[in-house]
Amino acid sequence: MSCTEITCELQTTTFRHVNLVSGIRCEVPHDQHVSHPDHLFRGDMKLGAKQNYYCESGYGKTAEEATCTRDGWTPNPLCAGMKCGPPPHVNNADTVEMTKKEYNTGERVEYMCFNKYTLDSHPAFSKYLTCQQGEWRGNIKCLMPCSVTVGDMDERGIELAFADQQKMFAPHDDHITFKCQRGKVSVGFALRQKCNDGVITLPVCV
């Protein structure tokens, strides 16, 4: 074969290779949890094309932008499920089950308040924290009990109406009923008082 023929063959092979490479296109990544892929990945999808993108809820980007390669869009995957670490500490509560090192989006952890503490049942609170996009979401609040000692009552001339104890606890939203010590009369606050997150108003008898 002459040099001219070799050169011609090389040029033809190179031309075919260039045509083959330039003909590579990347398809719309419907299976990679990309948000609105048909809207974002349109237009020039040739080899080497770059495209900014966003991920569906619960997934995070694995790169700033996607690149069209011979193997399709890279990195692969474009979006990965975001995980949470161990659940956080909650005041006056603990998890019901043993915790893990990692949690997937959508997994939740149940908490239980310590003894004599009461879980706040208002709509803004619950007994669960949920892993969402790499962060723990939710609000848990354990309301404190109230305690009354003999010393507290002696200072105010009162005693427990229905019990004979050195110290009494009342959970949040529960009531304690007092009575005046012998020979004294009530002044001011009612003798039946409700515990409100660790605070209770003690009546006075003189």
Side-chain angles (χ1 to χ4, degrees), residues 185-204:
V185 294
S186 175
V187 293
F189 299 108
L191 292 173
R192 188 170 187 265
Q193 293 291 328
K194 183 170 72 172
C195 175
N196 182 20
D197 193 15
V199 177
I200 189 168
T201 300
L202 297 180
V204 177

Side-chain angles (χ1 to χ4, degrees), residues 88-94 111-114 117 140-143:
H89 168 76
V90 173
N91 290 335
N92 305 314
D94 201 358
Y111 286 77
M112 180 174 62
C113 294
F114 293 157
Y117 285 77
I140 299 175
K141 184 177 182 180
C142 293
L143 302 169

Side-chain angles (χ1 to χ4, degrees), residues 148 153 158-161 176-180 191 193 200 202-203:
V148 181
M153 293 186 287
I158 57 176
E159 59 188 29
L160 298 175
I176 300 178
T177 302
F178 302 92
K179 66 179 180 180
C180 292
L191 292 173
Q193 293 291 328
I200 189 168
L202 297 180

Side-chain angles (χ1 to χ4, degrees), residues 23-97:
I24 292 177
R25 295 288 190 278
C26 287
E27 298 180 355
V28 177
H30 287 116
D31 58 346
Q32 295 224 40
H33 300 288
V34 174
S35 178
H36 306 294
D38 290 306
H39 174 71
L40 294 174
F41 289 81
R42 62 183 180 181
D44 186 11
M45 298 294 178
K46 295 180 181 179
L47 183 69
K50 296 182 181 296
Q51 177 62 52
N52 189 22
Y53 66 99
Y54 304 93
C55 297
E56 295 174 345
S57 177
Y59 292 84
K61 296 173 65 173
T62 56
E64 286 299 316
E65 57 185 7
T67 303
C68 179
T69 70
R70 296 171 183 268
D71 299 319
W73 291 105
T74 59
N76 187 5
L78 295 174
C79 299
M82 301 179 69
K83 296 180 180 293
C84 295
H89 168 76
V90 173
N91 290 335
N92 305 314
D94 201 358
T95 56
V96 173
E97 298 180 350

Side-chain angles (χ1 to χ4, degrees), residues 3-19:
C3 291
T4 301
E5 290 174 337
I6 293 174
T7 302
C8 181
E9 181 68 22
L10 288 173
Q11 288 176 343
T12 301
T13 302
T14 302
F15 179 74
R16 288 174 180 171
H17 177 71
V18 170
N19 277 345

